[in-house]
Amino acid sequence: VVEVARRRYGLGTRTQACVVVDRVGSGLGNQDPGLLRVLVPALRRHYPGLVGAIYVAPVNPVFFVVWQIASLLLDEDTRDRVHLLTGDYTQALLEVIPPDVLPANLGGTRTASDFDPV
């Protein structure tokens, strides 16, 4: 999928990906910021320039505290790319992502049938 996006959209050269981690409905049993701690450096190492920003929404206080600790293991540039959203996260997402590319459950207008299967 990444290689197709690189060829089709210039991902990593002309444009960067914006990753949205949808945590709607997540509970205390799945507070796993460790995934980001592993995923972000792997993407940066193997696909430099690919990821411009990562938005995680909604974030509860437990996730936020765990992330604060886990993020100490990341370099500053990587930490600066990760944005934890609380409160009215849909409005925050719409400030950086056009509604026609953001899924409806995150405040956008795009439905599942609108997505390109690549």
Side-chain angles (χ1 to χ4, degrees):
V1 173
V2 171
E3 292 305 321
V4 171
R6 288 186 97 139
R7 288 191 303 276
R8 187 180 295 176
Y9 305 110
L11 187 61
T13 55
R14 293 190 316 265
T15 188
Q16 290 182 314
C18 175
V19 177
V20 178
V21 179
D22 179 356
R23 293 189 34 79
V24 173
S26 294
L28 291 177
N30 53 359
Q31 305 299 311
D32 192 10
L35 173 65
L36 290 177
R37 186 174 47 90
V38 173
L39 181 63
V40 173
L43 286 172
R44 294 200 56 223
R45 182 174 37 258
H46 298 293
Y47 296 99
L50 181 86
V51 177
I54 298 173
Y55 294 90
V56 184
V59 174
N60 63 30
V62 174
F63 186 95
F64 185 80
V65 169
V66 174
W67 168 253
Q68 291 294 85
I69 296 167
S71 68
L72 295 173
L73 302 173
L74 301 174
D75 63 80
E76 183 178 359
D77 183 53
T78 300
R79 282 192 310 268
D80 289 345
R81 292 173 189 262
V82 178
H83 308 278
L84 305 182
L85 304 178
T86 60
D88 186 8
Y89 62 89
T90 57
Q91 185 57 41
L93 288 171
L94 288 169
E95 289 175 12
V96 293
I97 303 171
D100 61 324
V101 285
L102 193 62
N105 67 309
L106 293 173
T109 59
R110 198 167 191 96
T111 64
S113 63
D114 294 331
F115 284 95
D116 183 0
V118 182

